[in-house]
Amino acid sequence: MQGVTLLGIYVLVAIVGQVIGFGVSSMIERTVPWAGMPAFLAIFFGMLVLAWPIAVAIMDRFAPETAKVPVRSL
């Protein structure tokens, strides 16, 4: 169940980051039109990478007991 919660947090963080990235790239595009798309792509891919550590930090903060659960291996 913790995995589903972590994945849900990741999706929410990624969506919020993409919305913020869209706003930032739109403002950049209004001032420097040629830089809008590269800025959007950099923020888009960067947010997908950064959303996972942010989601893990949120999960550890609000559900610290999940960090101490041992992982079973095959």
Side-chain angles (χ1 to χ4, degrees):
M1 192 63 173
Q2 293 113 1
V4 174
T5 304
L6 181 60
L7 192 58
I9 293 170
Y10 170 76
V11 169
L12 288 175
V13 169
I15 289 172
V16 168
Q18 299 306 337
V19 169
I20 292 170
F22 176 75
V24 169
S25 66
S26 294
M27 287 189 289
I28 291 172
E29 189 170 2
R30 289 180 187 156
T31 57
V32 185
W34 61 269
M37 184 57 73
F40 174 77
L41 289 174
I43 294 169
F44 178 81
F45 290 119
M47 196 59 220
L48 289 179
V49 172
L50 289 176
W52 185 254
I54 293 170
V56 170
I58 291 171
M59 185 79 171
D60 288 342
R61 172 86 183 216
F62 293 109
E65 67 276 358
T66 59
K68 296 176 180 65
V69 174
V71 178
R72 296 185 309 187
S73 62
L74 298 175

